[in-house]
Amino acid sequence: MAAAAMAALALRERRRRRREQAERAARTRQRSKIRWSHAALAVAAALAALMAAPAFAHVVACDDFYACNFGASDGPCEYPPAPGFGVACDGSPLPASSPFAAAYGGLDLGDVPAFGLRSRPRRVGLVLVDAQEEYRAFTPPRTIANMAALARAAVEQGDVPVAISGWARRYDDPAARYVNAGDRMLGVPPERTIAYTWKRDGHVPLAELATLVGGAEGASSLLQLNSTNLDLFWNFDGRGDSILAGYLAEHAVDTVVVAGLWTDACILATAIAAHNRGFDVVVASDAVATATGTGKAAIDAVQTFALVMRTAELTDYLRSGFERSRLGQYRDPSWHDGRVYQPAERYHATANHQTVTIA
């Protein structure tokens, strides 16, 4: 009897434990269902909010802050815009189109440059970079024709100055290996490279532009410049001033159209330099070429700070009778090289852990 009682007691204990395990498993499953239910509700709520929210507007606070702020004394825009208070040029509020836009008052920094040629009056100058006979071999005929078309359209206006350069560095320039980083990058003798002018007359302008340079087409103003650097602005007169910057300042140019050769070298460098000197920059994408395989990458990079347009668009604009800006309206010609001087004590460098003021 005692053995039977012990066996029955053990059976009941095993059954009790199984029931407790089953109950614990059931409670665990219930808690999991609740958690998943809450997560599903949260996702559903987020989706519902997203569906109900207004669509992001692909807009900028103003097409051009110059035009908005300085075009009229009672313009509604403020610069810099107050966070969260972006307005269009007509004063209407703008929804934020990105986290950046929210931080910058509705200005969509994902869509730059935020200006168009017709967004304000302009004084335009055309810069034909290294459009020379030496480079004809790798330049498509259509590109040359487009450069000539831009030149003709500029000359026809009578007040659009034209600058044309020729890359004049030769493989046998004295001390080239020690003077110019470009020579070390591209190779000096005995390495022959098309990056140099090899023929004595190789830097002369393309024949299609010869009449312009010779004055037969009556250009109102023309600068012909031999350049030795990728950046066309980095060529100086006897006073140490940029020749190109000074020439453009003489004509109060505030917008520079760039075309010529090579896209990923002198075009890119000159366009960046023009931007840094305070010009609005436009690059004619079908009036540039290069001997390398990175021309498209250069155009992609240019689009972060300059307008990229086709020749037909630009010639149409030049011939449209576009409104000219007043002298110095958008760019002060007296600061022709873009430098703005600040008190020397604002600039410091550290040498041997000591602060040294740069005079």
Side-chain angles (χ1 to χ4, degrees), residues 18-31:
R18 283 198 293 269
R19 284 196 302 271
E20 289 180 352
Q21 291 173 352
E23 291 171 356
R24 284 197 297 269
R27 288 194 296 270
T28 299
R29 286 194 297 271
Q30 184 63 25
R31 285 195 295 267

Side-chain angles (χ1 to χ4, degrees), residues 139-149 152 208 286-289 310-311:
T139 306
R142 174 50 57 185
T143 300
I144 297 176
N146 287 337
M147 284 189 276
R152 285 193 299 271
E208 291 80 353
D286 57 351
V288 296
R310 300 186 70 80
T311 297

